[in-house]
Each structure stands twice: as structure tokens, then as C-alpha cells.
Amino acid sequence: MYKLLSKINSPNDLKKLKTDELAALADEVRAYLMETVPKTGGHLASNLGCVELSIALHYCFDSPTDKIIWDVGHQAYTHKLLTGRRDVFHTQRCYKGISGFPKRCESIHDAFGVGHSSTSISAGLGMAVASSLANGSNRVISVIGDGSLTGGMAFEALNQAGHLRKNLIVVLNDNEMSISKNVGALSSFISRKMTGSYYRSLKKEMEELITGIPAIGSNILHFAKKAENSLKGFLTPGTLFEALGFEYVGPIAGHELEDMVAVLENVKKIEGPILLHVMTKKGKGYPPAEETPDKFHGIAPVKPAGAAASKPAPPSYTQVFGDTMVKLAASDPKILAITAAMPDGTGLSGFGNKYPERFFDVGIAEQHALTFAAGLATEGFRPVAAIYSTFTQRAYDQVFHDICLQKLPVTLALDRAGLVGDDGPTHHGAFDISYLRHLPELTVMAPKDENELQHMLKTAVYSGRPVALRYPRGAGYGVAMDQELKELEIGKGELIAEGDDLTLVAIGSTVYPALEAAKMLKEKGISAAVVNARFVKPLDSELILAQAKKTGCIVTVEENALQGGFGSAVLEAISDAGLTSVRVKRIGIPDSFIEHGSQAQLRSDLGIDAAGITATCEQFLSSQSMQMPQLARVK
């Protein structure tokens, strides 16, 4: 079935094919993606649209000597198939399998580790400058999508690249607009001619000839360039990139392999920064993905035929957040919603459809999103900025300088807080408690379930202060949902299970596992109290210290880095209170980056599920019993 693909174990094997065989290879790659990705889940539409571009790049350039950097990396599946990972591709995004994104430790052909957007041009420029300093002759290619180009970092890099004039090729993979075959063929023809060595040498000779005309030569050249630029600006979007110092080539049809190869062969001979504009079709070759590419951007694994149907899952935290936003906005016109290119992912599409004038998608621009929200807050509005926890890291200074320092009532809705699963270390929301809880004026809260989430959202919106509300990826627990929303008392947790031997103090997604662990401990003769902390900051020190005095042993549980996390806040409170005899054990994410796998598998590995919490508590009490018998309360 895969006659050509089965022979390719490296880019060198690809180069053995004739140019007219590449289209057949592209068909095989597309078929292979359609066979494998639905089994593992992953980014389907973007990869179907990038097959020919990936083949052409590896056919024309010499990886790993030439460096190919993929922005975000979610479109790099064909790249992986062509660089020796075909036989393990079925493990991508699976526990202990290969990553869904390029990783330097995975292959010498992965020139730069990615997962977040708009980084490829900066990284590529760094490599291009390094090559220049080392007197190298290799080429550097940064592949960036039109979506990622909305990120300000991309333009910062373009600006410097145009100034430095190093050999950098930026490939703009543009799948936003369709392009007809006739226009594409004409564009490809023009691009091949415009990048050919004959045309470029002729243009240079003409410029030298014109400038040599006495008195009026420079004026004629200026007029000629102005006319050329006016025509190119009218016919192509290249004027902006040329103003930044790039040689603009395109647009070319991104699914015509022979044309792309011809253009790339010419482009790699040009000195200086080049922007190659390639038009592609997201979801190419799979009609449902072509028609609704957003629905096939990222897909979950498809169950095998005949597999037992699972019962419907409870609504996700994301869905509950979105529904609650709509509910709150119905009675308050000052509530506004902001997202950074993730209206579906953050659950705000419904809000945007119902209140389009109060919904703002700023593109991939987290820094701008938060300062924009701060500006709205100064005028009496109640902005809610919904951004994934991992992407909020990109706007840390805005949280500090533009929101907290000015005490502005902006709500940060941190979706995907904690372990996200198959997307791995670039997407885990493992650090937000640590990088937020030390900021003055900021309230940090996390709900134990989806019902508490809706109450916390109302609490945040009407608190009159900066608030970060973190909640996990995935379905809720199916608890009953209160119809009437209420505001919670800021800084107050709740004791949800009594106990005498130790106290489990849990936050957010770890509360229910802690409750389950308490039941398991009870079967072993250990009486464990459980506190739903609710607030990381301000911490309910009164409740926690009371339990510390009562049981003498505190075990904190969080789905966040232990360094500077929730457990650290509890330790600080106990230390500040002078309770030196109280023993504390923290459970959370260790000082390492956590790889990809299912959420359940990763939580089990880290000991933050019910079984892991139970085992840690037993070991903790056992060690305390041996060291200080008077503190042992095990019955």
C-alpha cells in the first residue's frame, strides 16, 4: 500500500526519487496519516495540508545540515515520517511513544523544540547568525503558519532579520485563503521566473546600467523601482515583507510539488532574508476536514469498530466555563470575553455568537490580550480573559505590571491547568500557581468540581480585584449543578471530611482524589480529614492551622509544580505560625518536565491519584511513627 513511503527512512532516501514521483509519495503520506492519526488522536487537518510542503523542503534541502524549524510543530507529522520515525509513528502522543511535536532529543532532524507559537523565526535567525559567525554555508528555514504570524514575536524577529541581512528563509504556510488552479499556476510560473538566476542577474545589470546614466540615472532607477513595487504591492501581499527587508517570493500553490521544488531550488541560491509565501489547503485530501478544518484541527482517538459504547461524559470544565459566561453576561452588559485565537478551545464560541460585540479574539497575542483587558477594566468593564495556563506564561509581565500593580479587576480564566495529557510538556499547565501566587493583589482560586467552577467564576467577576481562576482539562464529575449562582467568600476553604490522624489539604482537581484516598485510608485504620482549600491566595490559614494543631500531620495535594506551589504556601503558613512540631508532606509535580501520556497515567506515575495519595500518607505516617512515636496516631 505504501510502496514509496516504505522505502524512506531518511531525507537521503527521499532524494533518490524522481521529481515526478513526489506526487505519488504525497498521496501515500496522506493515506498513512488518515490511517494512523485517528487511532492515536492528534492534529489532522493541519498535517493533511502540509504534506507537499514538507516533502518539497526535505527534497530540496539537506537536513540536518540545513535547519528546518517548524513553528508550533503541530503540522510536522510528514516531517517525522520522512526523518526515520515511520515505524514508531503509531506511538505518537501515546505514553512513552514519540511526541506530537518536534523535539531535539527525539531526532537530529528536529532542529528546535516547539509547541508554542511564533517562535520559529527568532530561533531560525539565531541559527542563521550562528552559521554566519562560524563561516558556515548551510541554510536555515523557518516554517510558520498565517495564524502564528499574528503573534508579535514573529514580527519582532522579522524586523531584526531584515536588519541583519543573514541567510534566512521564512516559509509562510498560508491556509487561510483558497487559491484557484489558474491563479496558482500563474503565480508558480511567475515565482519560478522571478527567482531564477537569469532574471536576478539581468535585473542587477539593468540597475547598474540605469544608474550609470549621467545626471538622471538615479531618478530613473527610483521611478522604476517605485513602479515595480506598486505593481507587486497591487498583485501580491509582499510589500509589507519587503518593507521589513525581506525578498518576497510568491504566493505559490502549496500542493503543486514540481512547481514548489523548482521555486525552492531557486530560492536557496538567493542571499539574504527571503519570505516564501505558500498557499495550502487545511485538511487537503479529506473533504470533511477541508469543509470544517476547525473540527479536525485536533481529534481524539477513534474507537475501533465493535468497541462498547461508553456512557456520555459529564460536561467539560471548559464547557461549564463557557455556559456560565453566557449566563452571567445575560444580566450584565459590562461582562466581556477575550481569547487569544482559541474561541473553541476555551469554550467561548457560544459567547461570541450570542454577544459578538462583547467578544474579542485578539489572535495569538497573549500579552496584548491581558493589557487590552486591563484597559477595558479601567473604564468600568468586567473583562474575562480565557487563555490556557501554559500560554499565560507568555504574558507574565502583563499580569504583574498592567493588572496587579494597578489593582485592576481582570479575571484570568486559566484553562488546562495541571496535566493536559497527550500534548505533553509544552502544554502542561504545571506552573501557574508557582508563578502567580507571589504577586501582590492577585487572588488565585481553583474549584474542586464543575459546580464550584461556576460559583468561582461569578465570585471572580464581581470581586473587584485581579483574579486567576485555574481549572483542568477534561470532563467534570457529573455533580448536580446549582441553578442559582452565588459568590464565595474570598480566602475561605471548607472542611469536607473529618479526621484525627492527618489532614489532606487539597486544591482544585486533587480534592476528589484526596476524598477517595481518605476512604481508602479509613479501610486501613487511618482517620484522615480532607480540606478543600479553594484558594491558593489568600490562603485559609485559620482552617489549615486549626487542622494542623488537631492532627499534627498535614499532607498537601496539588496538580502543580511543588517548587513555589500550593504546598509551599501551606508550609509558609505553618512556619509563620511557629508550629514547629507539625509534620508536612507535599504531593505534586516534581522538579522535572513531565512527558506526554493520558492524564490518568501521568497522575498515577506522579502519585497524585487516590492510590498514590494513599500510599504516600501511609509511608509518611509510618516514618513519623518510627522517628517520633508520640506523634503516631495509626490505630
Side-chain angles (χ1 to χ4, degrees):
M1 183 176 179
Y2 304 112
K3 180 180 178 182
L4 297 174
L5 181 60
S6 63
K7 298 177 182 178
I8 296 174
N9 298 302
S10 73
N12 288 333
D13 294 327
L14 173 65
K15 296 182 196 316
K16 296 174 184 177
L17 298 181
K18 297 177 182 178
T19 308
D20 58 9
E21 294 180 291
L22 297 181
L25 173 63
D27 291 340
E28 290 187 12
V29 169
R30 198 166 268 114
Y32 190 80
L33 292 175
M34 286 299 305
E35 178 188 348
T36 55
V37 175
K39 295 177 182 177
T40 61
H43 296 91
L44 182 61
S46 53
N47 281 286
L48 291 176
C50 204
V51 173
E52 287 84 0
L53 176 57
S54 304
I55 291 172
L57 286 171
H58 278 292
Y59 193 76
C60 295
F61 293 96
D62 296 316
S63 176
T65 302
D66 292 330
K67 310 298 181 183
I68 302 175
I69 305 113
W70 301 89
D71 207 278
V72 183
H74 64 300
Q75 78 285 52
Y77 291 2
T78 301
H79 159 78
K80 293 202 172 200
L81 290 174
L82 300 176
T83 53
R85 285 166 278 186
R86 183 190 65 253
D87 291 342
V88 293
F89 188 76
H90 65 282
T91 71
Q92 67 99 13
R93 291 167 51 86
C94 298
Y95 184 62
K96 295 189 182 300
I98 65 172
S99 172
F101 301 93
K103 295 181 70 173
R104 281 167 52 82
C105 62
E106 188 177 289
S107 171
I108 59 173
H109 297 283
D110 292 354
F112 197 74
V114 288
H116 293 191
S117 82
S118 312
T119 64
S120 62
I121 304 175
S122 297
L125 180 59
M127 294 178 193
V129 170
S131 177
S132 176
L133 292 172
N135 295 317
S137 59
N138 64 304
R139 301 310 299 253
V140 180
I141 306 96
S142 296
V143 185
I144 186 168
D146 53 300
S148 292
L149 204 62
T150 64
M153 184 177 174
F155 279 92
E156 293 171 16
L158 285 171
N159 183 51
Q160 191 190 17
H163 170 71
L164 293 177
R165 306 295 304 164
K166 302 301 181 183
N167 291 336
L168 173 67
I169 299 170
V170 175
V171 177
L172 173 56
N173 176 27
D174 187 350
N175 54 35
E176 181 64 25
M177 296 180 292
S178 60
I179 182 168
S180 69
K181 188 170 184 179
N182 286 339
V183 173
L186 176 62
S187 177
S188 296
F189 173 78
I190 293 173
S191 295
R192 288 199 307 273
K193 297 301 183 185
M194 296 288 277
T195 57
S197 58
Y198 174 75
Y199 168 80
R200 293 185 60 80
S201 62
L202 177 62
K203 181 179 178 182
K204 184 176 181 181
E205 289 176 10
M206 287 299 295
E207 289 178 357
E208 292 174 351
L209 177 63
I210 291 172
T211 53
I213 299 175
I216 62 170
S218 59
N219 290 334
I220 293 176
L221 180 62
H222 175 74
F223 176 79
K225 283 183 172 290
K226 189 173 182 180
E228 179 190 17
N229 288 338
S230 295
L231 180 61
K232 290 181 77 175
F234 179 73
L235 295 175
T236 75
T239 304
L240 170 63
F241 300 109
E242 293 189 341
L244 289 168
F246 276 73
E247 181 79 19
Y248 175 83
V249 178
I252 66 171
H255 300 295
E256 300 295 334
L257 262 165
E258 292 191 40
D259 290 343
M260 264 203 298
V261 167
V263 171
L264 286 170
E265 288 294 344
N266 285 327
V267 160
K268 70 181 185 180
K269 300 172 187 174
I270 302 173
E271 296 293 313
I274 305 155
L275 188 131
L276 173 61
H277 190 171
V278 179
M279 306 297 295
T280 60
K281 180 75 172 176
K282 197 168 185 178
K284 174 72 174 177
Y286 182 47
E290 289 186 18
E291 294 168 9
T292 54
D294 55 324
K295 293 183 180 179
F296 291 89
H297 174 75
I299 62 170
V302 178
K303 287 191 174 182
S310 56
K311 63 179 182 180
S316 68
Y317 283 88
T318 299
Q319 182 181 338
V320 171
F321 164 76
D323 292 345
T324 306
M325 282 290 293
V326 172
K327 187 174 183 178
L328 289 170
S331 59
D332 188 346
K334 288 188 175 294
I335 291 178
L336 309 176
I338 302 166
T339 187
M342 302 289 287
D344 293 327
T346 57
L348 286 175
S349 291
F351 186 101
N353 293 334
K354 190 159 188 177
Y355 304 108
E357 74 286 353
R358 293 156 62 186
F359 173 69
F360 303 93
D361 183 350
V362 302
I364 302 176
E366 293 85 1
Q367 292 172 298
H368 163 63
L370 296 193
T371 303
F372 173 59
L376 289 166
T378 65
E379 298 303 307
F381 286 91
R382 309 184 204 280
V384 178
I387 304 175
Y388 289 5
S389 168
T390 186
F391 300 142
T392 307
Q393 295 165 180
R394 314 186 87 180
Y396 177 78
D397 185 60
Q398 284 65 38
V399 180
F400 151 63
H401 183 270
D402 299 330
I403 297 174
C404 294
L405 188 60
Q406 302 184 79
K407 304 179 183 179
L408 292 173
V410 174
T411 298
L412 308 177
L414 306 184
D415 200 337
R416 270 64 166 180
L419 299 167
V420 300
D422 303 331
D423 281 333
T426 59
H427 284 62
H428 292 317
F431 307 106
D432 55 81
I433 291 178
S434 302
Y435 70 73
L436 290 175
R437 78 174 184 87
H438 59 264
L439 288 174
E441 305 299 335
L442 182 64
T443 295
V444 183
M445 59 176 82
K448 71 177 185 292
D449 56 36
E450 63 269 39
N451 185 49
E452 195 164 75
L453 170 61
Q454 62 175 349
H455 297 309
M456 282 193 172
L457 182 55
K458 180 173 183 178
T459 304
V461 168
Y462 291 103
S463 67
R465 64 178 75 189
V467 175
L469 170 58
R470 77 184 310 256
Y471 47 94
R473 179 185 189 180
Y477 289 95
V479 300
M481 300 293 287
D482 297 333
Q483 295 304 304
E484 184 176 347
L485 302 184
K486 62 183 179 181
E487 294 181 48
L488 305 177
E489 185 177 355
I490 299 290
K492 289 296 179 182
E494 60 174 350
L495 180 65
I496 53 179
E498 297 278 357
D500 299 318
D501 296 325
L502 65 85
T503 301
L504 286 162
V505 185
I507 187 76
S509 61
T510 64
V511 173
Y512 278 87
L515 271 173
E516 183 64 26
K519 295 177 183 177
M520 296 169 71
L521 288 167
K522 186 176 182 179
E523 294 175 357
K524 299 173 182 290
I526 300 172
S527 175
V530 180
V531 169
N532 170 24
R534 283 183 172 164
F535 294 88
V536 176
K537 184 181 181 180
L539 192 67
D540 190 348
S541 297
E542 181 180 355
L543 173 59
I544 293 171
L545 293 177
Q547 285 299 123
K549 292 174 183 176
K550 177 182 178 182
T551 64
C553 290
I554 296 289
V555 177
T556 65
V557 194
E558 63 189 299
E559 201 166 304
N560 184 85
L562 287 170
Q563 281 71 15
F566 171 70
S568 296
V570 172
L571 271 173
E572 291 163 12
I574 291 173
S575 176
D576 290 346
L579 301 181
T580 56
S581 63
V582 174
R583 299 295 183 261
V584 179
K585 177 67 177 178
R586 298 176 301 145
I587 300 174
I589 298 174
D591 187 21
S592 62
F593 292 111
I594 308 304
E595 293 300 325
H596 56 278
S598 70
Q599 288 173 297
Q601 181 66 63
L602 297 179
R603 287 165 179 159
S604 175
D605 285 357
L606 296 173
I608 52 179
D609 60 355
I613 295 168
T614 301
T616 297
C617 288
E618 286 188 280
Q619 294 169 5
F620 182 52
L621 285 175
S622 176
S623 65
Q624 298 309 306
S625 174
M626 290 186 290
Q627 294 174 19
M628 301 184 68
Q630 69 273 21
L631 290 178
R633 297 175 181 269
V634 181
K635 298 174 182 177

